[in-house]
Amino acid sequence: MPTPLSDILTNSKQLFDSFFESYTKELFQPQTRITDACLYSLKAGGKRIRPIFVLNSFFHPNDLPKILNTKEHHSVYLASLAVECIHTYSLIHDDLPAMDDDDTRRGMPTCHVQFDEATAILAGDTLNSLSFYLLSLYENTDSAAIRDSIQILHRGAGMNGMILGQMEDIEEEKNPSAKGKESKLTSIHEKKTGALIEASFLLGNRLRPDWIERETVISSYAKEIGLLFQITDDILDVEGNLAELGKTPGKDAKAGKLTYPSLYGMETAKKLRDESVTKAISLVSNVTSLNNEFFLGLPKYIAERKN
């Protein structure tokens, strides 16, 4: 019988957290103020969405409960930790006063509030570099897989991916012109949110023996999931609350950020969200190895989430 999506997400998170707890005990040694700040942010109650994408692009969801020994698939767990490190670094830096200037993240004080700005910057730097180091530790795979994985993560998180999206987002706050807003919004979110999500899916897929035949569909699906994730985030920033979101709502409007509700209105934003759900599902429906409860159920789960 197919495994329900809720069980898949729970099993995936448990597998990742088990690896995370055991592996980071040695990884973040010796203990310093920097390692304390890194672990504070890494352990701050995240949903582990991107590591879950990595794991489920490698494993079939029905196999997840059987995978008790993470050493057998060490490389895919290293990849999942790498994307979580990159994602956490981006959150630390996003929250800084020079960026989004937020005091709360995941219902807790942000890293620069808990420690200080300099420590937060260095903790983010640490997690950024650490993610690429983790990919270099792949086991039982060839050098081409290591090379490809480093390039995948760089495309997602680097100067033409997540970082460029963040830069475009900041620049757009200072641009009052309405000209080209639709294409700019798409560009920002494809890079700022979507690029790392796509990298997460591709990293897990790259470690499979059949990775080449699945890569094009995985990439298209991941891009759609990234778009869906951001549209939903934009809606939640308007309609959500601090208790559910774990971060301050309404900041996008106050900062004058370009979002789907601000550009199209809430009704159209929700229509675009629903269309994205349908498109994502259609992309994997006819691919045997992807036609499972994870890939089919994920779009609706993202659209209906509250945080």
Side-chain angles (χ1 to χ4, degrees):
M1 288 183 61
T3 306
L5 180 65
S6 59
D7 290 351
I8 295 170
L9 297 176
T10 298
N11 292 335
S12 303
K13 186 176 184 300
Q14 288 176 345
L15 285 170
F16 174 77
D17 284 341
S18 175
F19 173 78
F20 175 87
E21 290 297 330
S22 62
Y23 196 75
T24 53
K25 287 179 181 178
E26 296 183 8
L27 185 64
F28 288 97
Q29 293 294 333
Q31 183 179 354
T32 65
R33 184 172 176 81
I34 291 297
T35 60
D36 287 347
C38 288
L39 286 171
Y40 172 82
S41 294
L42 280 169
K43 293 182 175 182
K47 297 184 291 295
R48 310 304 194 196
I49 289 295
R50 289 155 189 82
I52 288 172
F53 293 165
V54 175
L55 294 178
N56 283 278
S57 293
F58 180 82
F59 297 116
H60 188 282
N62 287 345
D63 294 333
L64 287 170
K66 308 170 191 174
I67 301 163
L68 301 176
N69 183 5
T70 58
K71 292 182 180 179
E72 185 179 352
H73 301 289
H74 193 59
S75 295
V76 73
Y77 287 97
L78 290 171
S80 66
L81 181 55
V83 298
E84 186 69 358
C85 285
I86 281 281
H87 176 56
T88 303
Y89 124 73
S90 74
L91 300 182
I92 292 172
H93 282 192
D94 279 356
D95 291 333
L96 290 167
M99 302 281 275
D100 286 350
D101 191 16
D102 213 327
D103 293 339
T104 306
R105 171 69 66 177
R106 294 169 176 168
M108 298 171 59
T110 48
C111 189
H112 70 274
V113 172
Q114 183 71 16
F115 294 87
D116 55 67
E117 286 186 44
T119 303
I121 292 169
L122 293 173
D125 293 344
T126 300
L127 293 173
N128 186 355
S129 61
L130 182 62
S131 64
F132 292 95
Y133 168 70
L134 290 169
L135 298 182
S136 77
L137 301 178
Y138 277 3
E139 297 176 359
N140 302 318
T141 188
D142 56 30
S143 59
I146 297 174
R147 178 202 63 205
D148 291 349
S149 295
I150 290 171
Q151 291 178 356
I152 287 168
L153 188 57
H154 178 258
R155 284 199 304 270
M159 62 184 179
N160 293 318
M162 182 180 67
I163 290 175
L164 180 56
Q166 183 69 59
M167 188 74 257
E168 290 181 351
D169 192 26
I170 293 170
E171 290 175 335
E172 196 57 36
E173 291 177 32
K174 304 171 183 177
N175 178 20
S177 171
K179 185 177 181 180
K181 290 289 186 181
E182 291 85 356
S183 60
K184 180 57 68 175
L185 179 63
T186 301
S187 177
I188 289 171
H189 291 325
E190 281 180 349
K191 300 179 181 74
K192 183 180 176 182
T193 302
L196 186 57
I197 286 176
E198 182 183 5
S200 301
F201 280 99
L202 291 175
L203 281 170
N205 184 65
R206 179 58 184 86
L207 292 170
R208 290 174 58 99
D210 60 347
W211 68 274
I212 293 177
E213 63 195 65
R214 290 162 39 113
E215 188 175 46
T216 299
V217 175
I218 287 269
S219 178
S220 297
Y221 177 85
K223 283 183 170 71
E224 199 62 40
I225 291 295
L227 172 65
L228 176 58
F229 206 93
Q230 189 58 56
I231 296 174
T232 305
D233 253 9
D234 288 354
I235 292 170
L236 288 173
D237 188 70
V238 177
E239 296 187 343
N241 59 68
L242 178 60
E244 288 182 323
L245 291 177
K247 60 182 180 179
T248 308
K251 288 187 67 68
D252 290 347
K254 292 177 183 176
K257 286 185 178 294
L258 185 61
T259 68
Y260 283 88
S262 70
L263 183 61
Y264 296 108
M266 186 60 74
E267 183 179 350
T268 300
K270 290 181 177 180
K271 181 181 178 182
L272 291 169
R273 177 197 62 191
D274 295 342
E275 289 174 352
S276 183
V277 170
T278 301
K279 183 177 178 182
I281 292 172
S282 69
L283 284 166
V284 294
S285 294
N286 296 319
V287 181
T288 302
S289 66
L290 300 174
N291 187 2
N292 59 56
E293 290 303 307
F294 175 76
F295 284 97
L296 294 174
L298 182 64
K300 188 175 180 181
Y301 167 81
I302 291 174
E304 294 178 350
R305 67 193 173 90
K306 301 298 180 183
N307 57 38

